[in-house]
Amino acid sequence: MTKPLTCDVVVVGAGMVGAASALYAVRAGLSVVLVDRGPVAGGTTGAGEGNLLVSDKEPGPELELALLSGRLWADIAAEPGVAEAVEYEAKGGLVVASGVEGLAALEGFADGQRSAGVEAVSVAPGQLHDLEPYLADGLAGGVLYPQDAQVMPTLAAAHLVRLARAAGASLRTGWTVTEVLRTAAGAVRGVRTSRGDVHAPAVVNAAGTWGGELAALAGVSLPVLPRRGFVLVTEPLPRRVRRKVYAADYVADVASDSAALQTSPVVEGTAAGPVLIGASRERVGFDRSFSLPVARALAAGATRLFPFLEGVQAMRAYLGFRPYMPDHLPAIGPDPRVPGLFHACGHEGAGIGLATGTGHLIAQVLAEKAPDLDLAPFRPDRFPADPAPEELEELEELEEPEEPEEPEEVS
């Protein structure tokens, strides 16, 4: 066991949200130790597409967080060398509708977003090919969202960690948290890990899909469940898909509470050349089995949007587990049940985009400043103490995957 570390804040989880939380906390003048049982971006972040979206969010707390996060991502990308390092692209998103009814629903959705500060530009059928020349013919129209952007998630998380370390934060990978240490009065006093203790008056739970398990180590309930998703990756191509392009029914799938498989076509090009194809959602615990039916459904949806993809090879597929919460809002802020415990998890598939806003808000609260957004909708204790019967059954069936031990990285 190593000598105990002492700091102001220990952040658990070195995915995108944890990296952002560490960065903003250290920039707020706090001493920070970031710990993870695996490598940086070794969980959900490494299986993401890197979307920074406002287009799929209805007016409300999540959209407010997305708008804040988008501004903060743009600020970070404007720092010297960052945009290139994280493959930040402010390329916009295009949502398309195949029929008149779908277009009317999409326009209604966009009207609400506009009232909340989103830039949403209606696109007539004849204008679609001006924006995306390889789109299928016959679509009814769409809405362009210039504020949508993209990063390469593993590069972005690694760079945020690099920035945090440059500002004084310490990183410990291969350190599995086994206990949240508490005083006799019940307040946090750090964490116990497989490599030693980290003493701190504040612990930030940025453990993503495993956030419920970390909360349990502190003696509280947080109903985070894994929602599996697959992504297909094509061979490298010349840039034929300029933006993130998806069908209007994707928004409904994101908001759905169903545990059953749902797929809706989402297609986007990348700076490196391959095209990423999604999206699927299903609650099957931590089952990492490859699903040929899901891959076929994703491929079929993508070729409906972009027929040229029929002649393109899918080189690989990967999967990840989105941290699903029952009301589709993350848990952000202090936990009133355990003084010194803060949560920054449960973002489902939006964690890459919402990470900067989340980290910024967490840092403000840690520094005892008024947060820029009202955190009441994100309260960690907003759920019943006991999960619903179907959620309890699902939690009992979960099998946590083993994470490989990684060598320690020191500041």
Side-chain angles (χ1 to χ4, degrees):
M1 301 289 281
T2 59
K3 183 179 178 181
L5 299 171
T6 301
C7 58
D8 294 324
V9 184
V10 55
V11 178
V12 182
M16 192 72 82
V17 174
S21 297
L23 173 61
Y24 285 104
V26 75
R27 286 184 172 181
L30 302 169
S31 59
V32 178
V33 174
L34 175 62
V35 302
D36 198 296
R37 65 186 181 187
V40 172
T44 298
T45 293
E49 296 176 69
N51 294 319
L52 318 179
L53 304 182
V54 298
S55 56
D56 62 345
K57 295 169 181 63
E58 63 183 11
E62 188 182 30
L63 179 56
E64 292 176 6
L65 179 58
L67 290 167
L68 171 63
S69 298
R71 293 192 293 270
L72 292 170
W73 269 116
D75 290 344
I76 288 178
E79 296 178 14
V82 174
E84 297 80 10
V86 305
E87 296 184 6
Y88 176 85
E89 292 187 276
K91 60 184 180 181
L94 179 64
V95 186
V96 297
S98 58
V100 175
E101 289 185 7
L103 182 61
L106 176 59
E107 282 289 0
F109 184 77
D111 282 341
Q113 291 175 306
R114 292 183 186 106
S115 67
V118 173
E119 186 178 354
V121 182
S122 297
V123 181
Q127 299 173 311
L128 288 173
H129 286 104
D130 294 334
L131 298 172
E132 294 289 345
Y134 292 92
L135 260 179
D137 296 327
L139 296 170
V143 176
L144 175 67
Y145 290 89
Q147 290 158 299
D148 281 359
Q150 185 181 26
V151 294
M152 200 289 187
T154 53
L155 292 179
H159 198 76
L160 294 189
V161 170
R162 193 175 300 120
L163 292 174
R165 295 178 72 186
S170 296
L171 171 67
R172 300 292 187 273
T173 56
W175 287 39
T176 301
V177 174
T178 59
E179 182 182 350
V180 175
L181 303 174
R182 298 172 68 179
T183 67
V188 160
R189 62 179 180 90
V191 297
R192 176 153 293 153
T193 83
S194 57
R195 302 288 186 89
D197 292 351
V198 184
H199 294 158
V203 170
V204 177
N205 174 11
T209 310
W210 297 273
E213 295 174 21
L214 185 68
L217 292 178
V220 296
S221 172
L222 196 67
V224 183
L225 293 170
R227 203 175 187 191
R228 187 175 72 178
F230 285 86
V231 176
L232 302 182
V233 184
T234 75
E235 61 188 296
L237 301 169
R239 198 59 177 262
R240 293 185 177 180
V241 182
R242 300 175 178 176
R243 298 164 183 82
K244 179 186 177 74
V245 181
Y246 62 88
D249 53 355
Y250 169 79
V251 176
D253 284 355
V254 170
S256 171
D257 295 321
S258 174
L261 173 65
Q262 297 168 311
T263 62
S264 48
V266 178
V267 182
E268 59 190 308
T270 65
V275 173
L276 305 181
I277 297 170
S280 68
R281 281 172 164 76
E282 55 186 331
R283 295 215 307 271
V284 292
F286 284 107
D287 183 357
R288 290 185 173 274
S289 303
F290 175 74
S291 173
L292 184 58
V294 173
R296 285 174 171 164
L298 295 179
T303 55
R304 285 196 300 272
L305 282 183
F306 289 94
F308 82 89
L309 289 171
E310 290 182 359
V312 172
Q313 277 197 319
M315 301 299 291
R316 64 186 180 96
Y318 62 89
L319 65 92
F321 299 101
R322 304 177 183 91
Y324 166 89
M325 297 278 271
D327 61 0
H328 301 283
L329 288 178
I332 302 174
D335 193 321
R337 300 166 294 186
V338 179
L341 178 63
F342 297 78
H343 296 283
C345 61
H347 297 77
E348 201 169 328
I352 306 299
L354 301 180
T356 49
T358 298
H360 172 73
L361 294 169
I362 287 290
Q364 287 182 312
V365 177
L366 287 168
E368 300 182 345
K369 296 181 179 179
D372 288 344
L373 297 181
D374 179 12
L375 294 183
F378 307 108
R379 281 180 62 104
D381 63 337
R382 66 187 186 270
F383 301 100
D386 297 318
E390 63 274 12
E391 291 177 352
L392 182 60
E393 181 179 348
E394 189 169 346
L395 283 167
E396 291 173 346
E397 293 176 352
L398 297 186
E399 292 185 3
E400 180 180 346
E402 291 293 323
E403 294 286 347
E405 288 275 309
E406 293 290 326
E408 172 186 352
E409 295 185 41
V410 296
S411 58

